[in-house]
Amino acid sequence: MDYAILTGFVLVSGVVLAIAAQWKGWKPSLAVALAVGIGVRVLIMSLSAVDTWQPVDFVNSFKPAGEAILAHQDPVLNSKGGWHFLPTIPYIYGLLLWMHIPWEIAGRLVTVVSDIILIPLVGKLAGGKDAKLRAFQYACNPLAILVASVHGQVEPVSLVFGVAAFVVARNARTSRPVRNAIIAGLLMGLALCAKSWPIWLVPGMLFFLPDLRTRAYAFFATGVAPIFFLVTLPIGAGTSLAQLPEVIRTIGDVRPIVGEWGWTAIYVGGDWTLNSGAARIGQYMIYGTLLIVAFVWRRADPIDLTTALLLAFMVVTPRLGAQYLLWFMPFLVARPTRFAWPVIIGCSTWAAIGYLYLTQFDHLGWARLHAPWAMSSVLLLPVLVAALPWGSRLKGAPPSPTSGKVSSEPVAAAV
């Protein structure tokens, strides 16, 4: 990466500002948060667009998916096997390419705009007197900037719809419950159209709703958008009816890539590889762990339940891309736990080493450094466990510190 030092300086500056705002009790206006968030993301996007290094999936998976749509071909079956989701995002890629916007900008524009919209949504999710502070802190979040502006990964697209679904579902408690439940479900369905992982956000959304009737409306509404984009593939992408079963199988396939993170990195010595045995064990670990977490936090605030589910997922998952670590960030920033900032800084630092430092080397140098970097991720696992919202497991337990000044202890630990 050509602009690693400048990018790193911007990211560190953002962390300093976010911690200083919490330490000093600053609550910048939403206009200030948006100005900072837009300025930083556009700057890093511009630097990344002219960089000689481009993420391999950004070039070899995302761009071909957009090109397939331009050619009226199925992006799952005709993008070199690199797109394993519904065609929603490739439709946008195709439109931007049709407008002759250079791919290095077009591919990141989708994620940068989504991440900017997330700034006020995180404030809405937090609510209360600290809403402006949390929006500003997300605007400065280094991992969000890396994922949206450098990598161009589509996690911010899923999150913008997922977080919006939470905000709308919470409104159903006080006004128009059925209407808000249906809208929340439609928004969550759009989150699933970008990627499949937002399925883990659905329980929190449903728990926000006031009764079984509204939950049923939201649950069925969640399926509307994914089904729509699936059945309209023959119209939008030229997919034949005979190909639809193959598309569904490909989208549902979990690729057994391990060795990038956590226990599988230790298991395979940090070698990024295909290992179906480890992947299968990891899937069982995910399902078992998340069932336990869902039971333990069933009476917690739905945001805390979601934070717990996503943090637990990161602890036991057999496979991970750095962008996965963004999943829990809006929820953890909105309702920070005692160890929120150690997690934010630790995960951002680990990801930044991969994005900014490892990319300074050729393939052989990258391969040599990848193993220790991947295996070092185990140091973050106990921090992720510590950051779980332990105090909110029972109804009526003290809420996460989303209001007022927080203790100086976690901030000191973070720096």
Side-chain angles (χ1 to χ4, degrees):
M1 188 179 191
D2 302 334
Y3 302 99
I5 294 176
L6 177 56
T7 301
F9 175 78
V10 171
L11 299 179
V12 171
S13 299
V15 171
V16 171
L17 283 174
I19 293 178
Q22 179 164 314
W23 182 269
K24 297 294 185 180
W26 299 338
K27 294 177 182 177
S29 68
L30 180 58
V32 170
L34 284 171
V36 170
I38 293 171
V40 169
R41 283 160 178 76
V42 171
L43 170 63
I44 302 303
M45 177 181 69
S46 302
L47 295 175
S48 299
V50 298
D51 204 297
T52 54
W53 172 82
Q54 298 293 322
V56 62
D57 50 0
F58 181 76
V59 174
N60 295 334
S61 297
F62 303 169
K63 185 179 181 182
E67 292 172 334
I69 291 296
L70 275 181
H72 200 58
Q73 296 176 342
D74 188 284
V76 175
L77 303 179
N78 296 281
S79 61
K80 304 177 184 178
W83 190 262
H84 291 254
F85 314 102
L86 289 167
T88 317
I89 304 301
Y91 285 150
I92 302 174
Y93 289 157
L95 174 63
L96 295 173
L97 289 171
W98 176 77
M99 296 169 64
H100 300 291
I101 300 175
W103 170 250
E104 290 75 15
I105 291 290
R108 294 180 171 95
L109 194 60
V110 180
T111 56
V112 167
V113 170
S114 296
D115 207 50
I116 290 169
I117 298 172
L118 269 170
I119 294 170
L121 280 176
V122 169
K124 287 283 189 182
L125 188 67
K129 60 183 181 180
D130 272 358
K132 293 179 180 178
L133 170 63
R134 303 310 175 199
F136 178 74
Q137 288 181 320
Y138 187 80
C140 298
N141 189 283
L143 186 65
I145 297 166
L146 285 168
V147 172
S149 298
V150 175
H151 197 163
Q153 268 283 0
V154 300
E155 262 62 22
V157 183
S158 285
L159 283 168
V160 77
F161 289 113
V163 173
F166 270 61
V167 173
V168 173
R170 184 167 57 191
N171 290 340
R173 292 179 170 182
T174 57
S175 67
R176 300 183 178 181
V178 171
R179 190 196 72 163
N180 282 324
I182 293 172
I183 294 173
L186 292 173
L187 288 167
M188 189 60 72
L190 288 170
L192 287 164
C193 287
K195 276 196 168 181
S196 56
W197 70 262
I199 193 71
W200 306 119
L201 303 182
V202 173
M205 177 197 70
L206 295 178
F207 282 174
F208 255 137
L209 297 169
D211 52 42
L212 183 61
R213 177 168 170 255
T214 53
R215 290 170 186 170
Y217 276 114
F219 180 80
F220 286 106
T222 297
V224 170
I227 292 172
F228 171 80
F229 281 105
L230 182 64
V231 300
T232 56
L233 272 170
I235 300 172
T239 310
S240 69
L241 293 177
Q243 290 177 314
L244 282 178
E246 183 182 356
V247 171
I248 294 171
R249 283 194 300 271
T250 303
I251 292 174
D253 179 45
V254 178
R255 290 161 289 174
I257 303 171
V258 302
E260 186 86 355
W261 166 270
W263 66 271
T264 60
I266 301 299
Y267 179 70
V268 300
D271 182 21
W272 194 70
T273 186
L274 297 175
N275 188 314
S276 58
R280 184 169 55 253
I281 292 170
Q283 288 298 111
Y284 294 146
M285 291 173 63
I286 289 173
Y287 299 142
T289 300
L290 295 193
L291 282 173
I292 293 171
V293 169
F295 177 79
V296 172
W297 271 272
R298 69 192 184 280
R299 296 179 180 175
D301 183 280
I303 300 174
D304 292 333
L305 166 66
T306 303
T307 300
L309 288 170
L310 297 178
L311 287 174
F313 180 98
M314 303 305 161
V315 173
V316 299
T317 181
R319 52 164 294 172
L320 182 137
Q323 70 273 10
Y324 287 26
L325 299 171
L326 187 60
W327 296 2
F328 58 80
M329 286 292 177
F331 304 96
L332 192 62
V333 170
R335 283 179 62 90
T337 62
R338 183 174 180 82
F339 285 90
W341 275 104
V343 165
I344 293 170
I345 293 175
C347 290
S348 298
T349 300
W350 183 83
I353 292 171
Y355 282 123
L356 307 182
Y357 180 67
L358 266 62
T359 56
Q360 301 297 312
F361 300 88
D362 60 16
H363 179 72
L364 291 177
W366 180 90
R368 175 174 53 85
L369 295 169
H370 177 268
W373 172 68
M375 290 189 290
S376 71
S377 64
V378 297
L379 300 175
L380 292 171
L381 301 188
V383 187
L384 292 169
V385 173
L388 288 165
W390 295 104
S392 66
R393 285 170 293 165
L394 302 176
K395 185 178 292 186
S400 298
T402 56
S403 62
K405 286 191 178 181
V406 299
S407 164
S408 63
E409 185 176 344
V411 179
V415 296

